[in-house]
Amino acid sequence: MASKPSETNDAEPPQNYEDLIRLIHDRHDQMSKTYQRISEYLTQNPNEIAVQSVNAIAGHCDIHASSFVRFAQALGYSGFKDLQALFQKRLSTAAPGFEARKKALDSELKLRDDHSELGFLRDLVVRDIASLQGLLDQISAADMASASEMIDKADTVYLVGQLRSEPVVNLMRYILTMLGKRCVFLDTSGGLATHMARTIKPNDVLIAVSFRFYATEVVNIVEECATANVPVIAISDSTLSPLTKSADVLFAVPEHDYTFSRSLAAPMCLAQALLVSVAARLQSDPKDPRIPVATSR
């Protein structure tokens, strides 16, 4: 049986989604492994939590439904439905119409028994559409503006990402190079990435990309840079990512589970949009811009 995140439940449970996520973050390191997995799933899949039954949610995590109930009770709720109500309220106010889109997606996937090559393509495209819609729902205008300004003002942009994350940073390196912005890719192949990162200055910026299961070297580089007062922009898959505590700006890109691979459509789209906004700041002739000038809304 999983131990509780806290020994006592005397305090009032959080009454809104933001306070709940903050409490989960605060207690995460002290939780049992089972409760950490539950916390990560709750944080990474808020829309699914709002619309699915506890049994369905538990099935996705391969954790017994009773553990979700006990988890909610350990946070001060009478049961899982009280905790779930916060996710439902968030969904109804922040992303109207998502429930209908989610049900339509689920219906389409359940009806599909086509396991041909084209069928796999269709499956991935449908899931990517949902991920891209989630990107619009979850990424804030303030974070986009802040990250764009950090990149624009940096003397040098450093980029780090390994394994599945590497294509994202390679795309960013390509675009920044074409823009004439000085950038350095912390290539791990020679074993020097960590040492190169120690040359980054506070007037530079580090862009780190890492998804489950987070590359240890990338996490270490991000933590060292934050300690050295280097601004950090992180692209990851959850607000419970190990990059969160060190990032000045964190983009938590929603993901949908795949049986074999995970798509890069949403993080690639985010990376491109971010650098298009940087390009708008960098263009040399503001009177005749090639890219519409970004304005805060």
Side-chain angles (χ1 to χ4, degrees):
M1 182 183 296
S3 60
K4 294 182 179 181
S6 175
E7 294 298 327
T8 60
N9 303 328
D10 295 335
E12 282 290 315
Q15 298 302 305
N16 59 63
Y17 172 81
E18 291 74 17
D19 287 345
L20 170 62
I21 297 303
R22 190 176 299 113
L23 177 62
I24 289 174
H25 279 212
D26 291 344
R27 294 189 181 182
H28 184 261
D29 290 345
Q30 288 73 49
M31 291 180 183
S32 69
K33 294 295 185 183
T34 297
Y35 280 9
Q36 286 182 348
R37 286 172 58 198
I38 292 174
S39 296
E40 289 160 9
Y41 193 84
L42 294 179
T43 308
Q44 293 167 5
N45 303 278
N47 296 325
E48 284 79 358
I49 301 303
V51 301
Q52 294 186 353
S53 70
V54 65
N55 288 327
I57 295 166
H60 289 311
C61 300
D62 197 24
I63 296 173
H64 199 278
S66 62
S67 293
F68 282 81
V69 176
R70 289 195 297 271
F71 177 86
Q73 291 172 340
L75 296 179
Y77 300 100
S78 61
F80 185 77
K81 284 187 176 296
D82 290 341
L83 181 150
Q84 187 180 40
L86 303 187
F87 288 84
Q88 293 169 340
K89 182 178 180 181
R90 168 196 170 275
L91 185 58
S92 66
T93 57
F98 184 91
E99 182 172 358
R101 294 196 302 272
K102 177 70 170 98
K103 287 181 178 177
L105 171 63
D106 287 343
S107 297
E108 283 199 52
L109 294 178
K110 286 175 182 176
L111 290 173
R112 188 182 72 77
D113 55 5
D114 178 8
H115 297 291
S116 67
E117 289 80 1
L118 184 60
F120 289 126
L121 174 63
R122 182 177 180 277
D123 190 352
L124 290 171
V125 169
V126 170
R127 292 181 183 276
D128 279 345
I129 290 170
S131 292
L132 289 167
Q133 182 62 57
L135 189 68
L136 285 176
D137 292 338
Q138 294 186 32
I139 302 301
S140 78
D143 284 343
M144 288 291 289
S146 178
S148 177
E149 184 176 8
M150 289 165 66
I151 296 169
D152 179 25
K153 291 184 175 180
D155 285 350
T156 303
V157 179
Y158 287 82
L159 302 155
V160 64
Q162 294 181 14
L163 303 174
R164 188 169 68 94
S165 305
E166 188 169 336
V168 181
V169 294
N170 272 322
L171 173 67
M172 300 184 84
R173 176 174 62 166
Y174 168 75
I175 297 175
L176 287 166
T177 301
M178 293 299 101
L179 291 174
K181 184 73 178 179
R182 187 163 57 244
C183 64
V184 175
F185 174 50
L186 300 179
D187 189 350
T188 60
S189 60
L192 293 175
T194 299
H195 299 281
M196 292 171 64
R198 289 170 184 158
T199 69
I200 306 176
K201 306 298 182 187
N203 53 349
D204 301 320
V205 68
L206 173 69
I207 302 177
V209 184
S210 187
F211 308 110
R212 290 177 291 175
F213 300 89
Y214 313 98
T216 301
E217 188 171 17
V218 173
V219 174
N220 291 341
I221 286 172
V222 168
E223 290 177 350
E224 284 195 23
C225 284
T227 300
N229 296 317
V230 173
V232 176
I233 299 168
I235 298 176
S236 194
D237 53 8
S238 168
T239 54
L240 286 176
S241 161
L243 306 187
T244 300
K245 62 183 179 181
S246 302
D248 295 275
V249 177
L250 173 76
F251 294 107
V253 180
E255 285 195 313
H256 287 265
D257 288 337
Y258 296 86
T259 55
F260 175 71
S261 65
R262 292 175 183 269
S263 173
L264 289 174
M268 284 289 197
C269 184
L270 172 64
Q272 286 180 294
L274 181 59
L275 294 187
V276 166
S277 70
V278 173
R281 294 170 179 264
L282 292 174
Q283 54 196 350
S284 57
D285 187 357
K287 294 182 180 179
D288 185 23
R290 291 181 298 162
I291 301 171
V293 178
T295 55
S296 299
R297 294 186 182 276

